[in-house]
Amino acid sequence: MNIKTYVPTILESWTLNKSSIPLRSQLYQLEPIGIGTPFTESLTSLISRLAMAHCLPPGVLMTRLMNPLINKAYGGANLHNIYSFTDALNGTGEMAKNLVEALQALTLHDNLCLLTMLPWSKLLPHRHLLHNDRTWCSACYQDWFCKRQTIYEPLLWSLEVIQVCPLHRQELLQQCPHCHKKNYPLAWHSRPGFCSKCHEWLGASPEVKSSNQKERSKEELAFEIWAATTVGGFIASTSNSAFDLTKDRIAKAFCLYVNHLAKGNIAEFARQLKVPRNTLWLWCQGNNRPTFTKLVEICFCLGVSLSDFLTADTSLKCHQKVQLLPTKHQPTSRADAKPLDLQSIELYLKEILESDKQPYPSLEQVARTLGRDRRTIAKHLPELCRAIATRYLDQKQAIKLEAIAQCCQEVRQAILELHEKGVYPSEGRIAELLTRPGFLRYKEARKALYAAKQELGLEPE
Ligand SMILES: [Zn+2]
Ligand SMILES: [Zn+2]
């Protein structure tokens, strides 16, 4: 080729500018559960799940990653410093706000305030808003486990006004049935569904009633379920627009109802609601606000849902007359009200210990038979009480081991049955055939499952 006649071809041109890469989040953008439903997940629950997803205890996540972003005088997100205030993490105050901001920065979510009561911060006083201790429904945990759904903790459970699960109509629990301890709403080793102190599973079928359940009349239970339903509806309706509600919203609603039901007479309306006249007057003036629990009780008396009360307009949908709250159930005899007869109590405890009758009673049951508080008896007769408690726990452990052994047999049986029918023995299908599907979590059951599958050539050697 003659170099003088060569004409170079023009190739396509390349842009050498850097293309924009979307922002990456430091932590997984784990999707919160149930936003827009009554069972919206709580912030503390999301933190626990997020920590699990990163194979970290929530304590490490809080202290190492969140704390540097907060670093406030009250201890920021250093769990060791804020253990006793962790109930505030789902609330309406600064702690919740700081935590939401830090977690949003780490996950690039932008709606995490919906997992707290922050949207209602202008409306609700923080006093008595949240349970001080972690609160849960054991039947919900069990249900989700059996259906292979994600185990989490709804915001609803953390509110002090909620005492009963609206789905299972049973009391929410605060004491672990295994170690009898309470949990912080967020602890170093928090994990939805498990005790943060002894790490045992907290789920149980609805038939298993806790011995600590309060006695409730039918009317009381109906009120508790109504409260949970209306507060659930309120949570479901939470959106960023809730922030626009002004502080005088509650005062306006009270004034409307005073006019509607008591012709503007505050004293008369206070008498109907059974609240002090001055208190109601302060509420109507907007100088004071009722606690969330009181507000829910008043809505019940008026026959309106919480959302309707707060958006009250002139077309009021409510009872024509204020209805009364069900009276609280009073226990018939107060334990420890009568004088202590230590001698006969000692004799009774010895008798219990000598008897071989099974199942052995727990110390709690023995104390209840005596009409006494367990702690009072244990203070006076520590050794006998310890012996009764130890015997009960040993027996409980033996029963558990037996049940696990039975579960292992059932697992094997289920796998063989399914395989014979030509159906793959998935964990879901196996669980359906077990008396206690929750036991599949024990390592013994897992071993049995693996061994039976291996035997059928479904698992590599
Ligand atoms: Zn439940
Ligand atoms: Zn425990």
Side-chain angles (χ1 to χ4, degrees):
M1 189 176 33
N2 186 342
I3 194 89
K4 282 183 183 164
T5 58
Y6 170 66
V7 183
T9 42
I10 299 171
L11 297 171
E12 63 172 304
S13 58
W14 286 3
T15 323
L16 294 175
N17 294 341
K18 271 192 185 168
S19 60
S20 69
I21 298 167
L23 210 57
R24 286 339 192 219
S25 61
Q26 196 175 344
L27 297 178
Y28 295 136
Q29 203 179 55
L30 198 63
E31 213 43 56
I33 296 169
I35 287 191
T37 75
F39 295 94
T40 300
E41 182 167 21
S42 69
L43 187 66
T44 45
S45 166
L46 184 73
I47 292 173
S48 303
R49 290 199 304 118
L50 193 60
M52 254 170 70
H54 284 273
C55 302
L56 291 172
V60 174
L61 184 94
M62 289 284 284
T63 308
R64 303 244 181 102
L65 290 159
M66 315 268 270
N67 201 37
L69 296 183
I70 298 176
N71 212 9
K72 284 280 162 83
Y74 60 71
N78 184 337
L79 257 190
H80 284 309
N81 295 350
I82 58 161
Y83 268 144
S84 24
F85 317 109
T86 49
D87 54 322
L89 301 179
N90 294 323
T92 53
E94 275 296 298
M95 278 179 84
K97 198 164 155 256
N98 292 330
L99 200 65
V100 162
E101 281 166 4
L103 200 59
Q104 292 195 154
L106 292 167
T107 58
L108 299 183
H109 272 303
D110 60 359
N111 58 353
L112 298 185
C113 63
L114 301 179
L115 313 189
T116 66
M117 293 304 277
L118 277 171
W120 309 102
S121 56
K122 285 191 206 146
L123 233 50
L124 304 174
H126 61 266
R127 257 178 323 120
H128 294 292
L129 180 62
L130 301 146
H131 287 295
N132 292 329
D133 299 296
R134 182 183 175 198
T135 308
W136 64 87
C137 169
S138 53
C140 277
Y141 278 153
Q142 191 68 18
D143 214 23
W144 294 329
F145 177 79
C146 292
K147 291 179 182 154
R148 295 284 181 268
Q149 289 173 355
T150 311
I151 314 280
Y152 76 108
E153 289 172 2
L155 177 62
L156 191 69
W157 292 353
S158 63
L159 298 171
E160 195 181 289
V161 63
I162 306 301
Q163 301 284 332
V164 164
C165 167
L167 299 176
H168 297 98
R169 309 171 71 86
Q170 69 175 36
E171 189 171 305
L172 298 181
L173 304 177
Q174 291 191 324
Q175 199 178 40
C176 166
H178 309 282
C179 65
H180 304 285
K181 287 182 184 151
K182 289 186 168 192
N183 284 189
Y184 295 118
L186 187 69
W188 197 271
H189 288 290
S190 277
R191 181 179 169 193
F194 293 85
C195 172
S196 62
K197 301 264 168 74
C198 69
H199 310 293
E200 285 285 343
W201 173 240
L202 296 173
S205 19
E207 304 86 60
V208 184
K209 290 269 180 272
S210 154
S211 57
N212 296 330
Q213 295 237 348
K214 268 190 226 145
E215 277 185 61
R216 285 186 167 79
S217 65
K218 229 167 75 187
E219 292 75 26
E220 261 183 285
L221 185 67
F223 164 71
E224 302 280 12
I225 291 168
W226 183 88
T229 312
T230 197
V231 175
F234 178 68
I235 291 178
S237 73
T238 309
S239 60
N240 286 321
S241 63
F243 282 110
D244 301 335
L245 290 176
T246 51
K247 202 178 164 187
D248 59 357
R249 192 74 231 175
I250 292 180
K252 274 188 191 154
F254 271 118
C255 291
L256 268 170
Y257 281 94
V258 170
N259 288 333
H260 184 71
L261 290 167
K263 299 196 175 75
N265 185 339
I266 290 186
E268 166 59 18
F269 193 53
R271 198 185 54 73
Q272 291 179 21
L273 283 177
K274 293 199 180 307
V275 294
R277 193 178 47 184
N278 282 347
T279 309
L280 182 65
W281 187 78
L282 287 171
W283 292 344
C284 288
Q285 296 294 310
N287 292 338
N288 210 341
R289 286 168 296 169
T291 60
F292 193 43
T293 304
K294 194 72 211 163
L295 194 61
V296 172
E297 286 176 359
I298 289 172
C299 287
F300 176 80
C301 295
L302 298 174
V304 284
S305 72
L306 200 52
S307 307
D308 281 348
F309 180 85
L310 292 172
T311 52
D313 54 22
T314 40
S315 60
L316 297 175
K317 298 168 259 166
C318 67
H319 293 319
Q320 285 312 304
K321 222 173 115 226
V322 171
Q323 74 175 10
L324 291 181
L325 274 180
T327 41
K328 292 243 182 331
H329 184 91
Q330 298 292 337
T332 38
S333 68
R334 258 182 63 78
D336 295 346
K338 43 189 193 261
L340 206 62
D341 176 4
L342 274 180
Q343 222 172 2
S344 47
I345 292 180
E346 188 175 352
L347 273 177
Y348 182 71
L349 296 187
K350 283 183 176 161
E351 223 174 88
I352 291 279
L353 273 172
E354 279 160 19
S355 157
D356 280 336
K357 198 173 151 221
Q358 293 203 20
Y360 300 136
S362 67
L363 188 57
E364 183 73 44
Q365 286 162 329
V366 174
R368 220 178 301 137
T369 321
L370 287 165
R372 290 284 164 192
D373 188 90
R374 171 176 52 85
R375 281 157 298 196
T376 314
I377 309 181
K379 204 168 92 189
H380 289 94
L381 300 160
E383 270 161 35
L384 286 173
C385 288
R386 206 172 302 129
I388 290 178
T390 313
R391 190 175 64 160
Y392 171 73
L393 287 177
D394 288 350
Q395 169 194 259
K396 206 171 138 192
Q397 182 65 10
I399 292 174
K400 185 177 158 190
L401 290 179
E402 205 175 299
I404 292 177
Q406 190 201 334
C407 175
C408 292
Q409 277 182 6
E410 287 182 9
V411 165
R412 193 184 143 74
Q413 194 59 34
I415 292 177
L416 294 178
E417 255 177 58
L418 289 167
H419 185 68
E420 218 162 84
K421 286 185 198 153
V423 182
Y424 180 76
S426 66
E427 279 193 34
R429 291 189 190 115
I430 297 171
E432 279 167 22
L433 297 172
L434 300 181
T435 321
R436 295 182 184 82
F439 274 37
L440 257 188
R441 71 185 186 279
Y442 288 118
K443 63 174 186 300
E444 293 84 348
R446 319 248 11 123
K447 264 190 199 160
L449 183 138
Y450 188 71
K453 279 188 175 179
Q454 220 175 31
E455 214 177 284
L456 296 171
L458 299 171
E459 288 280 351
E461 288 283 331

